Amino acid sequence: MIGLIVSGHLNFASGMASAVKAIAGEQEDIAFIDFVESISPDELEEKMREAINSMSCQQYLFLTDLPGGTPCNRAMAIMMQNPAVEVLAGVNLPMIVNAAFEREGCSISELVQILREIGQDSIQDIREQLAQIDSNDVEEEDGL
């Protein structure tokens, strides 16, 4: 199983934790670490390292909120020192939930690819979709 560490600014991680629990249930080997005003970047990195050390996994995937933000940068520093670590930045709830479901039985590179595809596919313009449905209904009616 791949260990997951979710981190982001303010209450991003704790918000995702409650959503993941509601959707996927309790999960093992997953940590949610908020980067709040009361901790320094060094303290954040220490919490990230502690999360890895608390898990008994062979590989670890950091899922962070903003590319280039402190949680991403500190996760990247850990990745540069540990070949068993990967980092994805700019993640959303569908990516995190699917990471919880998909992390058994695949390699970390496969999981990263799956999550990138989910991230792209989960962004949808609902008005555009409704317009396509309406235009499809009109075409079908005209065709009969």
Side-chain angles (χ1 to χ4, degrees):
M1 180 182 309
I2 298 166
L4 302 175
I5 301 99
V6 178
S7 186
H9 294 83
L10 298 176
N11 299 110
F12 175 82
S14 56
M16 291 295 167
S18 62
V20 169
K21 182 179 178 182
I23 296 167
E26 285 290 335
Q27 297 288 312
E28 292 181 15
D29 294 324
I30 185 168
F32 296 89
I33 305 169
D34 288 323
F35 180 48
V36 293
E37 296 101 344
S38 61
I39 68 171
S40 71
D42 288 340
E43 290 170 315
L44 173 66
E45 186 173 331
E46 183 58 34
K47 288 179 182 241
M48 291 174 159
R49 291 180 187 280
E50 288 171 2
I52 289 173
N53 292 335
S54 73
M55 297 179 195
S56 57
C57 300
Q58 299 294 315
Q59 296 179 306
Y60 304 90
L61 178 59
F62 280 89
L63 302 167
T64 67
D65 60 349
L66 293 173
T70 301
C72 174
N73 292 344
R74 291 303 174 123
M76 184 175 60
I78 295 168
M79 179 187 75
M80 299 301 285
Q81 297 173 348
N82 186 340
V85 171
E86 295 294 335
V87 178
L88 274 179
V91 301
N92 58 28
L93 181 58
M95 294 171 73
I96 297 169
V97 168
N98 278 281
F101 286 133
E102 301 287 338
R103 63 193 172 129
E104 269 188 80
C106 68
S107 70
I108 197 163
S109 62
E110 290 169 329
L111 182 60
V112 166
Q113 185 58 38
I114 290 167
L115 297 180
R116 289 181 66 190
E117 290 171 10
I118 288 168
Q120 291 173 339
D121 292 344
S122 68
I123 299 170
Q124 299 180 11
D125 181 336
I126 301 304
R127 184 171 301 282
E128 180 181 286
Q129 289 184 349
L130 289 173
Q132 289 176 352
I133 291 170
D134 288 343
S135 69
N136 288 340
D137 287 343
V138 171
E139 289 176 19
E140 288 179 18
E141 291 176 7
D142 290 341
L144 293 175

